[in-house]
Amino acid sequence: MTPPRRQPARRRTAVLATVPVAVAALLGAAGPTAPPTTGAPGAGDPYFPLSGNGGYDVRHYDLTLRYDTSARRLHATAVLTARATERLTRFDLDLKGLHVTAVTVDRTAAAHRRDGQELVVTPRHALRAGQEFRVTVAYQGTPKPVTDPDGAADGWIPTDDGAFVAGEPQGAMTWFPANGHPRDKASYDFTITVPEGRTAVANGVLLGQRTAHGETTFRWRETQPMAAYLATATIGKFQVERSTTRDGVQVFNAVDAREARAAAPVLKKLPSVLEWESRLFGPYPFRAAGAIVDHAPDVGYALETQTRPLYDSAPDLDTLVHESAHQWFGDSVTLTVWKDIWLNEGFATYAEWLYDEQHGGRSAQQAFDSLYARPASDGLWAYPPGDPGSGENIFGSPVYARGAMALHELRRAVGDRDFFRILRAWATGHRGGHGTTAQFVRLAEKTSGKRLDALLHTWLYTPGKPDRP
């Protein structure tokens, strides 16, 4: 993500907690005498304690949305296919601000109530540990964004011709019921109906579109695992361009006409940028690619929505490289706790440095030196990138720039050959899954044969400006 423009950085772009129920799970087959067990109301992330939920794992989301751009009203049905990870008499979904009209679990009406951002569901019959189940939620209302700890808005953000839908870190719950923490990834189907003349753009491959009775319905499918914050259903009056890369990746660009002229020369480079990143990081991890360039002057950032990054205005080339690199670092390889967000943003920022270095611009060492020249009082050194301290800081310059500096110091320590082997092994070895900082350090040490924990601890976890390398 690219950071809000008021921030000094150029760009913003948990293991699921469960109630300890080992004994209850064993008793799950015993019938109604088994003790009640409830999924935890959050995934246990210290930065966003209520994000995500415990007790189940979502396998697939099937979202059917109808949005009236004039009234800004959403009518929707979400079908979640999930597996219980413990015996459940009750579980939560993340959903904020919308009116729920009906809930069923396996086609049987379920009791439900609201508790802040939690939709609490009580199925008629308890779910066994390991049982696959389907929960259907019908809901409607006027979706509104949430305000993040840093003051930025995310989620369903209305625009003058539709909506800019960007969910990092907690905005998915503003438009669909979810297990909203990045630890729980799933596949998605989207069926989005909008007034004729508007285009609805989601993740993955466009399966088809149909216009009737003054409305157009778009069907999208993302088969690869995706965190809820990376889902989008952005709506607007877009100019659409479609193509296919030499590797067979389907490219779909949707551009607001007000941004088209400025965006065109940058988007023209997208296929070559993806090819370059594929050579460095391994094969592109998805079947589809592209961009959504909206005209949303009040948003102030871009987001690496999976397969199709979302820009609030025409991006420059560095931003395109940054958000495209996230398809490997952040989207395919996803963090497990928000504290580790440098694994997303430091890597995407360093991809910019590498692109400049290999395309006639300044070297990565020059980028490093210009940052290191900043005084110890500069905001760059305000907190360490591997431990930002709170959700308020996860999109600040230390996470981006000092995170990239940590990677450059790693490169200097192990040499180019091993460094690029490490980047590629990280992206391919964790493809479609998750990663942690500790896992990255172990991979770097194994690949290089060097002890690197002290070096990386200095650059990732030590407060203040490190001594000159």
Side-chain angles (χ1 to χ4, degrees):
M1 181 182 280
T2 55
R5 294 189 179 115
R6 65 177 179 276
Q7 298 231 7
R10 253 191 316 174
R11 286 176 182 75
R12 170 187 183 185
T13 11
V15 175
L16 287 175
T18 57
V19 178
V21 290
V23 174
L26 291 173
L27 295 175
T33 58
T37 54
T38 61
D45 193 299
Y47 289 4
F48 299 95
L50 291 179
S51 176
N53 301 283
Y56 64 93
D57 174 69
V58 180
R59 305 295 183 84
H60 184 72
Y61 292 88
D62 191 344
L63 306 178
T64 301
L65 314 172
R66 173 175 270 103
Y67 188 63
D68 184 333
T69 55
S70 297
R72 295 185 172 179
R73 293 282 296 180
L74 178 69
H75 290 79
T77 301
V79 181
L80 286 66
T81 302
R83 183 183 64 85
T85 57
E86 60 184 84
R87 183 179 185 274
L88 289 175
T89 58
R90 192 181 74 206
F91 60 90
D92 286 17
L93 297 169
D94 298 322
L95 184 66
K96 184 177 178 65
L98 295 166
H99 176 62
V100 175
T101 57
V103 178
T104 64
V105 176
D106 289 336
R107 299 183 180 180
T108 300
H112 59 91
R113 60 180 175 84
R114 305 302 294 271
D115 183 9
Q117 71 180 54
E118 303 296 313
L119 172 62
V120 183
V121 179
T122 303
R124 181 171 297 181
H125 305 290
L127 302 169
R128 303 183 309 277
Q131 177 181 341
E132 186 170 284
F133 65 97
R134 181 172 295 181
V135 55
T136 301
V137 181
Y139 57 102
Q140 59 183 275
T142 303
K144 298 178 181 178
V146 294
T147 301
D148 295 326
D150 66 353
D154 81 287
W156 192 283
I157 304 173
T159 61
D160 61 3
D161 61 355
F164 181 99
V165 184
E168 189 179 28
Q170 56 182 340
M173 65 181 174
T174 66
W175 60 284
F176 68 98
N179 197 358
H181 194 274
R183 177 71 182 189
D184 191 0
K185 298 168 73 168
S187 58
Y188 283 73
D189 275 291
F190 305 85
T191 303
I192 310 170
T193 301
V194 293
E196 185 176 357
R198 264 57 170 196
T199 301
V201 190
N203 312 86
V205 173
L206 179 63
L207 300 181
Q209 66 185 75
R210 179 177 60 87
T211 299
H213 310 296
E215 294 181 317
T216 303
T217 298
F218 297 83
R219 294 174 54 239
W220 295 88
R221 175 170 294 164
E222 173 54 286
T223 59
Q224 296 299 308
M226 180 168 70
Y229 83 87
L230 296 169
T232 190
T234 293
I235 298 163
K237 295 179 179 178
F238 295 126
Q239 298 175 359
V240 171
E241 295 181 349
R242 303 179 69 174
S243 61
T244 303
T245 70
R246 289 186 290 188
D247 293 332
V249 176
Q250 297 183 35
V251 178
F252 186 103
N253 293 332
V255 183
D256 189 294
R258 292 166 287 187
E259 304 291 339
R261 184 174 181 180
V266 178
L267 295 184
K268 186 177 180 179
K269 293 182 178 292
L270 178 59
S272 65
V273 167
L274 294 178
E275 288 181 10
W276 174 80
E277 291 177 333
S278 295
R279 289 195 296 272
L280 260 61
F281 311 140
Y284 181 72
F286 306 114
R287 293 177 55 203
I292 308 169
V293 181
D294 207 344
H295 181 75
D298 295 331
V299 171
Y301 61 83
L303 176 64
E304 61 272 16
T305 42
Q306 188 159 307
T307 71
R308 195 158 291 110
L310 175 61
Y311 304 95
D312 66 323
S313 61
D316 60 20
L317 183 55
D318 279 349
T319 305
L320 185 83
V321 170
H322 183 104
E323 304 302 341
S324 297
H326 273 310
Q327 302 308 302
W328 286 264
F329 305 112
D331 293 13
S332 178
V333 184
T334 304
L335 51 76
T336 58
V337 288
W338 284 107
K339 178 181 177 180
D340 277 344
I341 193 169
W342 86 277
L343 290 170
N344 295 11
E345 302 301 349
F347 282 56
T349 301
Y350 199 70
E352 296 178 55
W353 296 10
L354 291 173
Y355 189 89
D356 288 346
E357 180 177 81
Q358 296 183 21
H359 291 82
R362 68 177 180 175
S363 69
Q365 185 63 54
Q366 289 172 323
F368 179 98
D369 290 343
S370 68
L371 289 168
Y372 192 82
R374 296 183 183 182
S377 59
D378 190 86
L380 175 63
W381 317 112
Y383 48 85
D387 189 9
S390 72
E392 182 179 0
N393 296 329
I394 61 176
F395 301 121
S397 59
V399 170
Y400 290 70
R402 186 170 163 183
M405 295 174 82
L407 288 172
H408 188 70
E409 284 300 280
L410 172 64
R411 180 184 177 185
R412 281 164 43 94
V414 304
D416 277 10
R417 177 177 176 273
D418 281 345
F419 177 74
F420 288 107
R421 287 175 61 202
I422 291 166
L423 289 188
R424 191 178 183 95
W426 179 251
T428 57
H430 293 264
R431 182 182 175 112
H434 297 83
T436 67
T437 298
Q439 289 173 329
F440 179 73
V441 174
R442 288 196 296 270
L443 172 66
E445 291 186 329
K446 180 179 179 181
T447 302
S448 66
K450 296 184 177 183
R451 289 292 302 272
L452 300 165
D453 51 344
L455 172 74
L456 291 174
H457 185 273
T458 295
W459 281 93
L460 293 176
Y461 296 111
T462 302
K465 183 177 180 178
D467 291 336
R468 189 162 186 86

